[in-house]
Amino acid sequence: MPLGSLDFDVIVVGGGVAGAACAALLALQDRRVALVDARRPSFRAPDGEYDPRVVAISPGSRRVLVGAGGWQRLNTERLAPYQRMEVHSASLQVAFAAAEHGLDELGWIAEIPALETAVWEALEHDKRVQLFAPGGWERVELVQNLVRLQLIDGPQLRAGLLVAADGARSRLRRHAGIEIDEWHYNQEALIGPVTTEQANRGLAWQRFTEHGPLALLPLPDGRSSIVWSQPTERSRTLRELSSDQFAEEINRHQDSPLGAVTAAGNLHTLPLVRRRARRLVQNRLVLMGDAARSVHPLAGQGLNLGLLDAAALAEVLEHWDGKDPSPALKRYQRWRLSQSTLIGGGIHAINEVVRAPAGLGRHLLGLGFGLTGQFWPLREAFVARACGIDSDSPKLARVGPTA
Ligand SMILES: Cc1cc2nc3c(=O)[nH]c(=O)nc-3n(C[C@H](O)[C@H](O)[C@H](O)COP(=O)(O)OP(=O)(O)OC[C@H]3O[C@@H](n4cnc5c(N)ncnc54)[C@H](O)[C@@H]3O)c2cc1C
């Protein structure tokens, strides 16, 4: 095993989509970057099936992924663009159409492993990046002007900055002693593909049901991917139902323009926990992606926030000379912590409101939708924010190249 030490400008631990994109953007600034991950993504698309872990990618995030060199490597046949979005609560709804806001798409549904593999392929072609994967670290020293990361059975890496992109249960965050606020929802997301009477071509649909938010997101083959957040026990019971029984249950709660659900594929469950780091910086360590915060999936914003972190970090470091990064990191912390609080807090509040007894919360939320739908400036602001292209988004997300 190679021992000794290796010098870099930046070490990124965690090569999920957010960390890998961050590594790519920092390498573009001509920095030497080390990326360490416990695994190496390699996505081989299974015939006719989609990975259940799909995410809605906003137009702003797409630009970040183009900047990182990953989007161009995706197989576009496995992407499902959507131009329309409907959100229903009680008897009220709000609907958005991309064209009304000068956009071609409101977003794309993409498989997480495909996104990871695409960005990693871009990294493999970049000589400024060294990949340590599969790999792990056993010791980290955060001294005043240097970071030392000892890899397991490998060299010691040294750099002026350490980026923790190691996910919601970040070990680096714990190691640095950064405290988090945590909310266990006692909810799980039930996810999987369903077939509807009408093929889903470009509609992202959501209803706040009495059990929790239910979303139908388009898949490239005309089916929909569902995300149904609900109490843990109930979601486990539903997972055991036959395809027909599940279709019947879901049809009691959905009234989308896609018609009835006629069949359901394999269902999976994921526990839902909101976490928010109280600080994003500790000396030369900086948190991003789910390591900085994880949010309820009802607004499809988790990875989008992580990709905006990647672009924001690259933006504040644009003129970093390799010496003291603290002024840049302070700016990053102010910027991205307020986003975590605003968006994460907003999503959390919606989830709490709709759990109010007797459906009162869902009526209140419906009233909010009604207002948003009728008041044009509010609609514009909502779409720009959800698409990651409002004035508070990093430059790359707002005006970066789209291909
Ligand atoms: C049901 C559901 C639906 C969702 N839908 C959406 C959506 O529509 N849109 C959206 O934007 N977001 C969505 N999200 C959120 C999104 O999935 C996450 O925010 C995103 O995947 C997190 O990416 P990340 O790169 O920050 O972290 P991760 O993907 O968790 O990556 C962390 C990486 O760090 C590595 N790692 C961890 N520990 C170590 C270690 N000690 N040493 C080395 N490597 C390590 C891991 O191997 C992994 O590769 C959804 C989430 C759920 C649960």
Side-chain angles (χ1 to χ4, degrees):
M1 279 290 130
L3 294 175
S5 61
L6 296 172
D7 289 322
F8 295 90
D9 295 311
V10 184
I11 304 167
V12 180
V13 175
V17 187
C22 184
L25 295 178
L26 294 176
L28 282 175
Q29 298 176 344
D30 238 351
R31 304 190 191 282
R32 293 159 304 151
V33 179
L35 177 64
V36 182
D37 200 298
R39 71 204 166 97
R40 200 177 188 106
S42 75
F43 179 59
R44 299 275 165 271
D47 275 352
E49 234 356 291
Y50 294 96
D51 193 284
R53 287 166 305 148
V54 294
V55 278
I57 293 292
S58 72
S61 291
R62 174 201 169 159
R63 288 201 173 102
V64 176
L65 288 164
V66 169
W71 187 265
Q72 306 84 317
R73 294 172 190 272
L74 288 169
N75 175 356
T76 49
E77 288 177 7
R78 294 186 77 88
L79 290 173
Y82 56 93
Q83 296 79 17
R84 290 166 296 132
M85 190 164 88
E86 286 182 18
V87 191
H88 301 251
S89 191
S91 58
L92 291 162
Q93 60 154 307
V94 61
F96 300 96
E100 286 178 1
H101 298 274
L103 297 167
D104 292 329
E105 285 90 9
L106 291 172
W108 294 260
I109 302 301
E111 297 154 288
I112 291 183
L115 292 170
E116 286 173 345
T117 304
V119 184
W120 274 66
E121 274 173 22
L123 293 171
E124 279 160 8
H125 286 87
D126 192 323
K127 290 197 172 60
R128 295 160 294 199
V129 179
Q130 199 167 337
L131 302 169
F132 297 89
W137 58 273
E138 58 187 23
R139 206 168 52 254
V140 60
E141 285 173 69
L142 301 169
V143 285
Q144 198 58 38
N145 55 1
L146 189 71
V147 174
R148 293 195 200 100
L149 188 78
Q150 178 61 53
L151 298 188
I152 300 165
D153 290 337
Q156 182 187 72
L157 310 183
R158 298 191 306 198
L161 183 64
L162 175 60
V163 178
D166 50 349
R169 299 161 70 120
S170 169
R171 182 176 160 212
L172 277 173
R173 184 184 64 209
R174 258 197 333 273
H175 181 87
I178 297 178
E179 289 180 6
I180 57 167
D181 297 312
E182 193 170 52
W183 293 262
H184 288 263
Y185 288 115
N186 190 26
Q187 277 183 332
E188 279 185 350
L190 191 63
I191 58 174
V194 297
T195 308
T196 46
E197 286 173 326
Q198 311 294 323
N200 188 348
R201 304 277 175 226
L203 172 67
W205 183 92
Q206 180 155 269
R207 169 168 281 292
F208 287 88
T209 74
E210 65 194 274
H211 305 293
L214 163 66
L216 291 169
L217 307 170
L219 289 171
D221 63 2
R223 287 183 295 163
S224 298
S225 173
I226 61 153
V227 183
W228 197 357
S229 308
Q230 47 194 315
T232 302
E233 264 180 39
R234 191 183 134 82
S235 104
R236 288 187 185 163
T237 311
L238 292 191
R239 197 180 150 181
E240 300 307 320
L241 298 180
S242 69
S243 168
D244 285 352
Q245 288 170 322
F246 183 71
E248 202 175 300
E249 176 61 20
I250 204 167
N251 286 332
R252 293 205 301 120
H253 297 278
Q254 73 95 14
D255 52 354
S256 79
L258 304 169
V261 168
T262 52
N266 281 343
L267 297 170
H268 302 259
T269 49
L270 292 169
L272 299 180
V273 181
R274 176 186 176 207
R275 295 187 177 89
R276 186 181 58 126
R278 292 191 184 165
R279 284 177 293 132
L280 302 184
V281 176
Q282 168 80 32
N283 294 338
R284 286 175 179 243
L285 170 99
V286 57
L287 305 181
M288 63 159 306
D290 271 22
R293 105 289 295 152
S294 53
V295 298
H296 195 287
L298 71 87
Q301 284 296 322
L303 179 56
N304 288 307
L305 286 169
L307 286 167
L308 295 183
D309 288 344
L313 190 57
E315 189 171 318
V316 300
L317 289 172
E318 203 174 343
H319 302 295
W320 178 45
D321 58 6
K323 295 185 184 132
D324 182 11
S326 37
L329 296 186
K330 271 189 193 142
R331 204 181 133 213
Y332 169 84
Q333 171 165 272
R334 262 198 316 274
W335 189 1
R336 301 310 299 162
L337 205 52
S338 73
Q339 290 288 299
S340 299
T341 307
L342 192 71
I343 299 183
I347 295 170
H348 178 73
I350 289 175
N351 191 52
E352 292 303 296
V353 162
V354 296
R355 292 209 280 186
L360 184 64
R362 279 180 287 136
H363 286 286
L364 277 175
L365 191 64
L367 280 176
F369 290 164
L371 272 178
T372 310
Q374 281 166 25
F375 190 45
W376 187 255
L378 211 55
R379 281 175 76 94
E380 279 276 287
F382 179 86
V383 169
R385 174 54 62 101
C387 288
I389 51 174
D390 66 331
S391 59
D392 204 29
S393 297
K395 226 182 304 164
L396 180 62
R398 280 184 285 119
V399 294
T402 52

